[in-house]
């Protein structure tokens, strides 16, 4: 089920907008967690349609709008001896959930002129980076998040289409 014993990635696909390659998503999640120097992780990754993600967004965050990704950090323990300021996941043991909208990925992929699978992968990467400790609430944090997303995508030789926030 998991590529590395230290990472448990559970994938639930509850949509029919795009075909999900669970092994690719699992490998991508493990790659990101490794590159973030996360000690251990138990991640639940769920792929839904827009109405389901919107309902979860309303229920848990009181946001009444469609969104591409939700992430929930359920538990995080940090080994201070392994912390590295530039690498937010370093030394962490995390448990969390990442919820992505395949329907949104299909729509945005057309807008950004790349595949829905890559758009969905971007949502997964973004959600996992949130669990590692990255944020996007300020301009500087958003730039750091975008830089880190591209560094992860460099592993697959993919350029993320530019987004104006």
């Amino acid at each position: 089920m998991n590529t590395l014993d230290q990472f448990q990635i559970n994938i639930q696909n509850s949509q029919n907008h795009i075909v999900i390659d669970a092994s690719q998503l699992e490998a991508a999640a493990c790659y990101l967690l490794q590159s973030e120097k996360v000690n251990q992780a138990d991640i639940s990754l769920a792929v839904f349609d827009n109405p389901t993600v919107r309902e979860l967004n309303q229920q848990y965050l009181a946001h009444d709008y469609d969104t591409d990704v939700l992430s929930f950090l359920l538990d995080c323990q940090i080994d201070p001896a392994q912390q590295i300021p530039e690498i937010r996941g370093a030394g962490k043991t995390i448990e969390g959930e990442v919820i992505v909208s395949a329907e949104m990925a299909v729509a945005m992929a057309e807008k950004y002129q790349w595949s829905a699978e890559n758009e969905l992968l971007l949502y997964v990467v973004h959600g996992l980076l949130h669990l590692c400790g990255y944020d996007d609430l300020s301009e500087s944090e958003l730039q750091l998040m975008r830089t880190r997303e591209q560094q992860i995508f460099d592993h697959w030789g993919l350029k993320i289409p530019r987004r104006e926030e």
Side-chain angles (χ1 to χ4, degrees), residues 62-77:
H63 296 157
D64 187 16
Y65 52 81
D66 291 337
T67 191
D68 48 8
V69 59
L70 298 170
S71 56
F72 299 99
L73 184 62
L74 305 176
D75 191 30
C76 180
Q77 297 171 12

Side-chain angles (χ1 to χ4, degrees), residues 2 15 17 34 36 38 65 96 100 104 120-121 123 125 161:
N2 55 321
Q15 57 78 45
H17 293 275
Q34 272 184 303
E36 276 296 311
V38 171
Y65 52 81
V100 295
M104 181 78 71
L120 188 80
L121 181 59
Y123 300 166
V125 165

Side-chain angles (χ1 to χ4, degrees), residues 20-161:
I20 299 301
D21 183 343
S23 61
Q24 180 211 33
L25 290 178
E26 183 180 335
C30 288
Y31 171 74
L32 182 147
L33 294 166
Q34 272 184 303
S35 64
E36 276 296 311
K37 302 187 183 312
V38 171
N39 285 346
Q40 283 190 298
D42 187 352
I43 306 295
S44 170
L45 173 58
V47 185
F48 292 121
D49 58 13
N50 279 351
T52 305
V53 175
R54 184 182 188 123
E55 183 180 313
L56 293 168
N57 201 14
Q58 286 175 311
Q59 182 178 351
Y60 293 105
L61 300 175
H63 296 157
D64 187 16
Y65 52 81
D66 291 337
T67 191
D68 48 8
V69 59
L70 298 170
S71 56
F72 299 99
L73 184 62
L74 305 176
D75 191 30
C76 180
Q77 297 171 12
I78 303 169
D79 179 349
Q82 295 180 332
Q83 283 188 289
I84 303 169
E86 311 80 57
I87 303 175
R88 303 268 171 95
K92 292 184 177 179
T93 297
I94 57 177
E95 180 183 346
E97 296 180 359
V98 175
I99 298 163
V100 295
S101 172
E103 189 175 353
M104 181 78 71
V106 170
M108 292 296 106
E110 187 174 323
K111 177 179 178 179
Y112 293 114
Q113 301 180 339
W114 71 335
S115 76
E117 293 78 12
N118 287 343
E119 184 71 12
L120 188 80
L121 181 59
L122 177 59
Y123 300 166
V124 171
V125 165
H126 187 85
L128 288 170
L129 288 173
H130 274 303
L131 296 182
C132 288
Y134 293 83
D135 214 330
D136 51 12
L137 297 176
S138 71
E139 188 58 35
S140 62
E141 284 292 308
L142 176 62
Q143 288 309 312
L144 183 60
M145 173 79 88
R146 293 287 183 249
T147 298
R148 195 66 186 107
E149 288 169 349
Q150 186 56 61
Q151 288 168 343
I152 298 297
F153 268 74
D154 286 347
H155 177 71
W156 302 294
L158 294 171
K159 177 84 173 122
I160 299 170

